[in-house]
Amino acid sequence: MFSLPLICWLQFLYSSPLIPPCFFFSRKVKCANFVKLFQLLIGERMDSVQTNFDVNQAEEEMSAIESIYSDDFAYLDDSGRNFSILISNEHKASLSFHLQPGYPQEEAPSYTLTTPSIRGEIRQALCEELSGFIGETFHQQCCLYEIIEKARELLLQIPLPAVEAVQPLRRPEAETSGDLVGDVPEIFHGEPFTERRSTFQAHLAVVRSAADVEAVGRELRRNRKIAEATHNIMAYRISAEGGVVISDCDDDGEAQAGSRLLHLLNIMDVNGVVVVISRWFGGILLGPERFKHITNAARNILTEHAVIAGGPVTRTRVT
């Protein structure tokens, strides 16, 4: 519409015989309408410029945040405005942001703080202090970095919880066949898929203790194909007494993969499960893309088996 100079459009509309006579009752009314039309068009143009400015500011800030926190950063969807950052490995805490279309000129960022090991009054005080900081810091300008660093600073002041540790998934040479003790939780397997010669497959089980987690690990390693995977990345979350969530993860040689997998469980607020992602390396380096495939495999098996809703599950053979 604005390919011609704006004044040309206005002159055309002002003098055009196509304008209905009822639009102009007199030259005075015509001039008044002309001014209103001019203001309307200018206003729309300025609104468009402001919107583009907001979008550009948000995109530049997102790019900077992704670069700074690359290992702990993850998009939550394809919009580019919803993302999460692991802000404390010790507390397994993450901070998820949702940027409204009006950010940063009109609306402050909304956030969700996930702290599995921090509950009750301590968590409430933490959220109140962080919300107060956002209210003081946000002045119609980008402020995500300040918020993230403030959250990290607050978490450093909170003592670490005593958690029940789980042993990493050991390699098969440390195992002996038929040495399982007690019941082994039922294990469900996702469909394997291959990306650039690397194959990924998810495994899931409902667990109630760290002993269950280790039993699942031993049972998986009884399958030769899984035992020979390049990496068996594991994460689990279990609800304990007093509302405390026990969680842990294991990279199994795939740096940062375990913490990202646990980060996904925290975001989805899944309890009482262990998820293992097997990766068979095919000779082509995938770079950061491998984390996307790992988290997608985990998300798919959790959704397929409706763990959150406690829905039905189905069996899939390990191939």
Side-chain angles (χ1 to χ4, degrees), residues 184-240:
V184 178
E186 187 173 10
I187 303 173
F188 305 94
H189 308 282
E191 293 289 346
F193 63 92
T194 301
E195 294 289 341
R196 294 164 61 189
R197 295 172 56 182
S198 278
T199 300
F200 300 83
Q201 186 174 24
H203 321 281
L204 177 146
V206 177
V207 293
R208 297 180 180 178
S209 66
D212 283 350
V213 175
E214 293 200 29
V216 169
R218 287 194 299 267
E219 182 65 18
L220 285 174
R221 288 189 296 272
R222 288 165 63 87
N223 181 290
R224 181 174 297 276
K225 184 173 179 63
I226 294 176
E228 293 177 351
T230 312
H231 309 288
N232 282 306
I233 304 141
M234 178 274 295
Y236 76 92
R237 292 184 82 218
I238 303 169
S239 292

Side-chain angles (χ1 to χ4, degrees), residues 15 52 161 165 295 307 310:
S15 59
N52 290 336
T295 54
V307 169

Side-chain angles (χ1 to χ4, degrees), residues 57 66 128 130 133 229 240-241 303 308:
Q57 271 196 317
E66 185 177 3
E128 288 177 356
L130 186 59
F133 175 80
E241 294 181 2
T303 303
I308 299 175

Side-chain angles (χ1 to χ4, degrees), residues 50-289:
Q50 183 62 59
T51 299
N52 290 336
F53 178 73
D54 290 346
V55 170
N56 290 338
Q57 271 196 317
E59 288 179 349
E60 290 176 1
E61 184 183 28
M62 288 289 292
S63 178
I65 293 295
E66 185 177 3
S67 298
I68 295 170
Y69 304 102
S70 57
D71 291 337
D72 301 320
F73 181 97
Y75 283 106
L76 300 178
D77 54 31
D78 296 330
S79 70
R81 301 182 70 86
N82 301 317
F83 66 96
S84 183
I85 293 178
L86 182 66
I87 56 175
S88 172
N89 277 307
E90 293 78 10
H91 289 286
K92 312 298 182 186
S94 61
L95 193 61
S96 302
F97 286 97
H98 173 60
L99 304 184
Q100 301 288 347
Y103 175 82
Q105 291 296 318
E106 297 177 4
E107 298 188 49
S110 59
Y111 76 93
T112 300
L113 180 63
T114 303
T115 55
S117 62
I118 304 173
R119 301 275 178 169
E121 295 180 358
I122 297 179
R123 173 181 165 76
Q124 182 178 353
L126 177 63
C127 292
E128 288 177 356
E129 187 162 354
L130 186 59
S131 295
F133 175 80
I134 293 175
E136 296 173 359
T137 305
F138 178 69
H139 299 292
Q140 297 181 325
Q141 60 185 5
C142 296
C143 58
L144 295 179
Y145 177 78
E146 290 81 0
I147 296 172
I148 295 167
E149 289 303 307
K150 181 62 176 181
R152 286 185 154 189
E153 176 188 327
L154 293 174
L155 285 170
L156 288 175
Q157 302 171 14
I158 299 176
L160 296 177
V163 298
E164 181 183 1
V166 64
Q167 295 299 319
L169 288 175
R170 296 183 296 276
R171 285 303 182 187
E173 54 266 25
E175 302 291 332
T176 57
S177 301
D179 62 350
L180 298 182
V181 178
D183 296 331
V184 178
E186 187 173 10
I187 303 173
F188 305 94
H189 308 282
E191 293 289 346
F193 63 92
T194 301
E195 294 289 341
R196 294 164 61 189
R197 295 172 56 182
S198 278
T199 300
F200 300 83
Q201 186 174 24
H203 321 281
L204 177 146
V206 177
V207 293
R208 297 180 180 178
S209 66
D212 283 350
V213 175
E214 293 200 29
V216 169
R218 287 194 299 267
E219 182 65 18
L220 285 174
R221 288 189 296 272
R222 288 165 63 87
N223 181 290
R224 181 174 297 276
K225 184 173 179 63
I226 294 176
E228 293 177 351
T230 312
H231 309 288
N232 282 306
I233 304 141
M234 178 274 295
Y236 76 92
R237 292 184 82 218
I238 303 169
S239 292
E241 294 181 2
V244 176
V245 175
I246 299 171
S247 62
D248 203 353
C249 60
D250 178 37
D251 295 333
D252 193 29
E254 185 73 282
Q256 300 293 327
S259 59
R260 287 173 180 260
L261 189 57
L262 180 58
H263 183 49
L264 175 67
L265 298 185
N266 290 336
I267 292 173
M268 298 180 71
D269 196 23
V270 177
N271 288 317
V273 298
V274 58
V275 177
V276 178
I277 307 297
S278 300
R279 179 193 179 188
W280 292 268
F281 180 61
I284 298 177
L285 296 175
L286 300 183
E289 186 180 348

